[in-house]
Structure formats: structure tokens, C-alpha cells
Amino acid sequence: MKLQQLRYVLAVAENGLNITAAAERLHTSQPAVSKQIRQLEDELGLKLFTRRGKSLTGITVEGQEVVERAIVILREVENIQRIAQNLKQESRGVLSIGTTHTQARYVLPRVITAFREVYSDVSLSLHQGTSEQLADMVESGLIDFVIATGGERLFPELLRLPCYRWDRVILVPPDHDLTRLGRAPTLQDLAKHPLVTYVFSEKGESSFKSAFARQGLVPDVVFTARDADVIKTYVRLGMGVGVVAAMAQDVADDGLVALNAAGLFPRVTTWLGFRREAVLRNYMFDFISRFAGHLDPWTVRRALETSSQADVDALFADQALPMRGAGGELVPEPGVPA
Amino acid sequence: MKLQQLRYVLAVAENGLNITAAAERLHTSQPAVSKQIRQLEDELGLKLFTRRGKSLTGITVEGQEVVERAIVILREVENIQRIAQNLKQESRGVLSIGTTHTQARYVLPRVITAFREVYSDVSLSLHQGTSEQLADMVESGLIDFVIATGGERLFPELLRLPCYRWDRVILVPPDHDLTRLGRAPTLQDLAKHPLVTYVFSEKGESSFKSAFARQGLVPDVVFTARDADVIKTYVRLGMGVGVVAAMAQDVADDGLVALNAAGLFPRVTTWLGFRREAVLRNYMFDFISRFAGHLDPWTVRRALETSSQADVDALFADQALPMRGAGGELVPEPGVPA
DNA sequence: CGCGTTTACGTCGTTCGTAACGATA
DNA sequence: TATCGTTACGAACGACGTAAACGCG
């Protein structure tokens, strides 16, 4: 058994069982891949793939077991290489981040810009997706970091570091009824209007709906979208009252007024997660620290030494996490309608 | 990086940094090992070992990191091979068990005899040691199974399957005072006599001492040994009253009388433990099932699907574990002194 | 001088790429 | 016939073992 053979098997499994495509991605010839896989099968004495005629049609159950272990093996091989590169102060490297729209659009740009200036040799890639997709991507090793909110049960194997907290904010057209309340809106106020907000995560409990339910109210959600830009568009069209993350609110949002929603919904924590077994490159520590100031390398290493997520949470329990988003700045003060 | 290089590094690290010894264990030449290690160091660009002149004097910190990951990698490689061998119904294999004296001497012989008759091609090895030593051995992959008692905190990473429970039994010479009580001895009775029992485990809390302490008594332990045979010898010499595991009591123990100690000390559970990541060969499932009838392959696989030891414990919570040892059979009934 | 490591070199096995072949839809 | 996998073969590479050299106690 050789590491190349495992790499080849994995590449084939990850490229739709197409040996030609796998060979291209591996920068080698297709007979090389074909032969190595066959040799591994011979050595192990089992078929990793099912074949019809000459083309691969599926992975056998044992093949799947082998693939899973190959992932672990190659991951650790990469860890060894990262250790070496860290020591050599090698500045080249890769950092791929999986995240949701809100982070990618409103929070990360500043961090990434600054990061790229310092680490020009680090190839940075951003993958946007739903929580479910991110979970798959991080599991398969496609991405190093996940930056997301909620979903504790979706990412059970990740070490999650709390980064900051945020409230929601209410967006309405300038002449909307809610702007004439003379005070910040309540849930009762909101329940009287059609609402436009985020798609509810498939698995996570919807803190949005339950906030209303707790007061015996049923929100009239007329439209949901994955990102705040779409929501804003429909609010401008007068489809309803928008409820978005405070970070997504921009002073330059013309045609919209932001109203404070702090306290109406539970605060949300954005965290950064990665696999516990991962060896982090130095620039990864720096990225984390740039993204969340309190997560300096020393603190992150301490979190890595814990044995469970509960211990990590305890590490940060006594710290007041920073708040993000301008939600508080555009509050219509009592008697001062926007 | 190649798997052989990792194997070589590991062998050198495990053989006192002696390349020659490592080469012999690997059935290869010593220059081969020397060269491969050097090549890996060159490829990674770091020194794995510290050298004085030409001889290795130590492992660098990075070398240690690499060794730890190499262990994981090679373990998974072995798992892949086991999967293949299981499928081929390959009957050859290795099974090494680490255990304590009591199990090795009194419980395992019958199981092992029967097992060897069926699996003559499985090379079986037994390693006796203290809990601490066993923990090291299983961690380094030297042994597949640990069969022991207590020590939950000593084996945190093992999947532990409860096998059976047992009480202690009291051993005295035939003419001893305790045989004339006309009833089973109490802790008060025991506290009046010099006692001979097991060495207390270094890290585990001593359930022996605390049983006395709970009644405000202090046992007069005059001698401790690692195994019951030694204890019996000293009881025969009249050094004191023996307290041993019920399994260790043998009807053929001439010159000794066994008195019931059930209820005096907390019941002890013997468990069988192995690493969660391990792939078990079919004969290993069979061994477990022979050792503890309720641990059939199906049940063990179910335990393997759990995510924590707590879940495993819950699996067996409602089952009455079998008792082992003849302690109950030689009880001096009230009014019937032995 | 013994012990252990490294260097040198010849041999053998293995991997790879190109090119031709085979099978499938 | 286009697509994809396998077979064939020559070239390059790499691992290993023997033998000799080197350093250190």
C-alpha cells in the first residue's frame, strides 16, 4: 500500500468515479491512476469499485471504508507537511474558508483585504454555502475554516471559537408606519406587518419564529431569502418589513431606514470552526486573530488543548464577546422619528 | 513522503533511537533505514532527531509531532488491511491482549484454550502489566485489547465494554478466628486482623480502603501483592487474612478457607477495552463473545456506533451483568462455620 | 578497536508516459 | 464514433543490500 494509491482512490471517488478526470486533477496520466488502483485492489484482495464492462459504476462498501480511512491518512500526511512548513517560516500556502452570505458579503471583506496584503503568497479561497453544505465541505477537507452561526449540532466534530455576537435590525422604507411609532418597534408591532427575512436553516431551530411564539404571536413571513441584499430589494419594493443581521445594514442603504431590534430576538453568536486534528499554519492563526481580536494564537492554542467543545465554551464564558453591526446607531430615539 | 519512511521513523523512535535495532526489527538493512529517514528529513526540511556526531541522541519537538501523526497514519493503514483480510475470510492474524494478573491467571485460560483450538492460525499473545503499563501499551498499538477493572480515567480513549462483575472473597487458614464467627465477617471483623491484599493502583481511588473508611475503620494492611497466588502463600503462612478477587479463589486451594465478602466492598466490573478507531477482525469479535457471552458481534458493533463512553454504558445499563467467581458458594452460612 | 552511522555503488523492482487496443453507449 | 478504461513497452527513478569508510567512546 502506498500513499499515492490512496490519493488516487480518493481522487477517483471525489471525481464522479471518472479516472480520466481524477488523473487530470492529479497532474498525471490516466493509465497511471488506473494501474495503481488496480494494484491496490490486488494487494488488498478486494474490489474497491464496482465496474460494468470497463467503466466504474460505484464504490463497494469496503471501498467506502477504505476511502474514509484514506481521508484520515492523507489528512495527517498534510498535517506533517504543515508542521514542516510552519517551522521553515514558509509563507506560501492555502487557506480556504467556507461561510455564509452575511459573513462573506459584510464582515469578511475588510479582514481578507488586510490579510492578502500581508500574505500575498497564501492562496485564499472562499466558499459560500448553506450550513449543510459547509458541513460537508469541511468534513471532506475542502475547506479549512467554517465561519457561521448556530448549527451546533450540524458541526459536532468542529472546534468552534466564538468570534462575535450580533442582533438583528429592522429595515423599512422611509415613510413606513413603523418609523412613526416614536419608539423602537416591539414584536407585537412587527407581527402586524408582512415580514421579509432569511430562509430558516433546515435543521437548526428557528430562533426567529420562536421569539414570536414565546409571546403568542405568529409572524407573517411573506418572503424569505438567503441573503440580505435580496431582502433589501424586496423591502424597497414595499413587500414587507425586513429583518436582517445588523452587520448587513449599511449606512449607504439608500431608500431604507434601520430600526433597532436589539432585545426582540435572541443574540446570535458567529463562530469560527475547524477540525480538531488540523495543524494550523502560522498565517491561519493570524487570520483568526485578525477576524476576532480576542482569538490570539495563544488563546487558540489553549482551546486546541481542550478535550471537548464544552471546555472551549467554558474558556470564553467569562469574556464579553464584541458586538458587531450598526444596529444601535440608527435607533429612532423616542420622539425622534427617522 | 512515503509510508515506509514513517514506519522507519517510528521504529527508530520505538527502539531507543538505535537505527541498527530498528532495521533488524523491520527485517531490512540498516543503511536503508538511515537513508530513508534522512530523505524524509530533507523533504520536510527539518530535523526529526537530534544527533551528536553520528549517533542519534534524541527526538526534536517536531519529530515528536511527526511520530504522533505517523502512529495515526500507520494505524489506519493497518485498519485498511484488516478490512481486506476480514473480507477474504483470512484466518491468519494476530491478537494481543493486555491484562492484569487476576484475569490472566484465573479467567482467561479457559477462553484462550477454546479460542486457540478454533483459530489455530491466529497468533495470540498476552501481556501482563499494571493499569498504567497497559494504558501505555494500548496507546502505542502494542496490544489490541485491554481486559481490566476500574481505571476509567486511565483509559479515557478506549471503548470499554462491561464483561462481568465480581466481589471479593476472604481467605483464611482453616483454624482462623474468622471461621468460628458463625456468620459472614463484617468490615469490623476484618479491621481487627492483619490483612493481605492487592497492591493499590497508583492512580485509581482505592475502593478497598474507602470501604473501611466509610465506617470509620482503618484496615491493618500488612502486605500487598500484585497477584492472588502470592497473597495466598502469605495467608497460608499465617501473615494475615487474605482479601482477593472471587475469581481467584479455587476449590483446590488446600489449606485455605474462603469466606463470603459480598457486600463488604463495592462490586467491581471487569471490562474489555479497545481503541474506537480500531477495525476488529472477525476472530476478535468471536473472542469477545467467548469471553463475555452477552457481547455478541452485533452488540459490539452497536457499541462501536456510539459516540461516547456514556452511550456505551447506557447500552448496558439495563442488563444484569453476570457475576464471576465462586465466592457465593463457600459462604459460611449462619451457624454453619466452615 | 568495537559500535553504530553514513557513503558508495550495483542491482532490481516500480512508476510513469506514450501509444495502441478494447469496450460501451 | 466518441468516450473511457486497460494493456504494452521503454525510459527514468528509487529502494535495497553489500561493502567500505568514518566518528566516537
Side-chain angles (χ1 to χ4, degrees), chain B residues 209-282:
Chain B
K209 278 183 181 167
S210 52
F212 283 95
R214 222 169 293 126
Q215 300 197 11
L217 301 169
V218 178
D220 175 24
V221 179
V222 294
F223 189 80
T224 62
R226 292 215 175 274
D227 63 271
D229 291 324
V230 175
I231 295 174
K232 287 175 189 172
T233 304
Y234 285 88
V235 172
R236 284 201 191 87
L237 292 177
M239 268 199 68
V241 174
V243 181
V244 300
M247 301 92 72
Q249 179 243 323
D250 193 333
V251 213
D253 281 340
D254 21 295
L256 289 179
V257 173
L259 304 176
N260 195 349
L264 299 190
F265 305 99
R267 281 218 168 125
V268 183
T269 301
T270 289
W271 46 258
L272 184 149
F274 51 89
R275 296 188 311 270
R276 282 195 105 88
E277 322 85 69
V279 167
L280 299 187
R281 296 290 307 272
N282 293 332

Side-chain angles (χ1 to χ4, degrees), chain A residues 227-333:
Chain A
D227 62 271
D229 291 323
V230 175
I231 294 174
K232 288 177 190 170
T233 305
Y234 286 88
V235 172
R236 285 199 190 89
L237 293 177
M239 268 199 68
V241 174
V243 180
V244 300
M247 300 90 73
Q249 181 243 322
D250 194 332
V251 212
D253 282 339
D254 20 295
L256 290 179
V257 173
L259 304 175
N260 196 349
L264 298 191
F265 305 99
R267 286 223 164 119
V268 183
T269 301
T270 289
W271 45 258
L272 185 150
F274 51 88
R275 296 189 310 273
R276 283 196 105 86
E277 321 84 71
V279 167
L280 299 188
R281 296 291 305 274
N282 292 334
Y283 58 77
M284 295 179 180
F285 281 105
D286 195 30
F287 179 89
I288 296 176
S289 155
R290 285 162 184 271
F291 181 63
H294 61 294
L295 296 176
D296 57 285
W298 187 78
T299 305
V300 176
R301 284 191 196 281
R302 217 156 53 114
L304 270 168
E305 286 165 8
T306 60
S307 58
S308 75
Q309 183 63 33
D311 295 341
V312 178
D313 295 341
L315 250 185
F316 298 97
D318 52 344
Q319 296 190 20
L321 283 179
M323 289 290 298
R324 282 269 179 105
E329 285 148 35
L330 298 185
V331 188
E333 294 294 330

Side-chain angles (χ1 to χ4, degrees), chain B residues 162-165 269-270 294-295 316 318-324:
Chain B
C163 296
Y164 63 87
R165 316 196 66 189
T269 301
T270 289
H294 62 293
L295 295 176
F316 297 99
D318 52 344
Q319 295 189 19
L321 283 179
M323 291 287 300
R324 282 270 179 103

Side-chain angles (χ1 to χ4, degrees), chain A:
Chain A
M1 189 183 321
K2 309 208 182 66
L3 289 175
Q4 283 120 315
Q5 294 173 331
L6 298 179
R7 269 189 275 264
Y8 288 3
V9 168
L10 205 56
V12 169
E14 285 177 349
N15 284 278
L17 304 175
N18 184 324
I19 296 187
T20 307
E24 272 170 25
R25 173 166 304 197
L26 292 163
H27 306 294
T28 185
S29 71
Q30 172 242 41
V33 177
S34 182
K35 193 170 203 176
Q36 288 305 314
I37 288 181
R38 188 157 285 268
Q39 282 193 358
L40 179 58
E41 287 184 329
D42 288 347
E43 177 186 337
L44 295 177
L46 53 80
K47 289 269 162 275
L48 298 173
F49 300 100
T50 58
R51 294 162 167 84
R52 186 164 49 224
K54 286 197 164 182
S55 62
L56 306 190
T57 56
I59 308 186
T60 63
V61 280
E62 308 83 40
Q64 190 55 44
E65 298 260 5
V66 171
V67 163
E68 283 162 19
R69 284 166 179 85
I71 289 174
V72 174
I73 290 170
L74 297 173
R75 185 176 286 168
E76 292 298 334
V77 167
E78 197 196 330
N79 278 343
I80 289 177
Q81 287 161 346
R82 285 187 181 186
I83 290 169
Q85 288 166 336
N86 263 355
L87 202 76
K88 282 191 292 185
Q89 298 289 349
E90 171 65 69
S91 66
R92 276 169 302 181
V94 173
L95 172 55
S96 51
I97 301 166
T99 187
T100 54
H101 173 85
T102 310
Q103 316 296 328
R105 168 81 171 74
Y106 298 104
V107 186
L108 286 175
R110 285 175 307 123
V111 182
I112 286 181
T113 306
F115 181 87
R116 293 198 58 178
E117 277 173 20
V118 180
Y119 299 97
S120 52
D121 286 337
V122 173
S123 142
L124 197 60
S125 62
L126 206 62
H127 299 266
Q128 186 185 334
T130 66
S131 299
E132 289 79 7
Q133 292 168 333
L134 294 177
D136 283 348
M137 286 194 268
V138 74
E139 183 51 28
S140 71
L142 190 66
I143 54 184
D144 298 305
F145 292 166
V146 174
I147 299 177
T149 59
E152 281 79 9
R153 75 188 52 178
L154 259 174
F155 304 91
E157 79 290 357
L158 291 193
L159 178 66
R160 295 191 309 278
L161 304 170
C163 296
Y164 63 89
R165 313 195 70 189
W166 48 272
D167 278 319
R168 289 177 176 81
V169 73
I170 298 165
L171 297 179
V172 287
D175 56 347
H176 195 275
D177 281 352
L178 287 177
T179 64
R180 288 188 276 270
L181 281 176
R183 54 172 170 77
T186 64
L187 287 181
Q188 279 89 350
D189 298 327
L190 284 181
K192 290 176 197 151
H193 296 272
L195 301 179
V196 185
T197 187
Y198 296 112
V199 177
F200 307 112
S201 176
E202 286 153 38
K203 283 178 135 179
E205 67 299 336
S206 162
S207 67
F208 185 85
K209 280 183 180 167
S210 52
F212 284 94
R214 221 169 294 126
Q215 300 197 13
L217 301 169
V218 179
D220 175 24
V221 179
V222 294
F223 189 81
T224 61
R226 292 214 175 276
D227 62 271
D229 291 323
V230 175
I231 294 174
K232 288 177 190 170
T233 305
Y234 286 88
V235 172
R236 285 199 190 89
L237 293 177
M239 268 199 68
V241 174
V243 180
V244 300
M247 300 90 73
Q249 181 243 322
D250 194 332
V251 212
D253 282 339
D254 20 295
L256 290 179
V257 173
L259 304 175
N260 196 349
L264 298 191
F265 305 99
R267 286 223 164 119
V268 183
T269 301
T270 289
W271 45 258
L272 185 150
F274 51 88
R275 296 189 310 273
R276 283 196 105 86
E277 321 84 71
V279 167
L280 299 188
R281 296 291 305 274
N282 292 334
Y283 58 77
M284 295 179 180
F285 281 105
D286 195 30
F287 179 89
I288 296 176
S289 155
R290 285 162 184 271
F291 181 63
H294 61 294
L295 296 176
D296 57 285
W298 187 78
T299 305
V300 176
R301 284 191 196 281
R302 217 156 53 114
L304 270 168
E305 286 165 8
T306 60
S307 58
S308 75
Q309 183 63 33
D311 295 341
V312 178
D313 295 341
L315 250 185
F316 298 97
D318 52 344
Q319 296 190 20
L321 283 179
M323 289 290 298
R324 282 269 179 105
E329 285 148 35
L330 298 185
V331 188
E333 294 294 330
V336 188

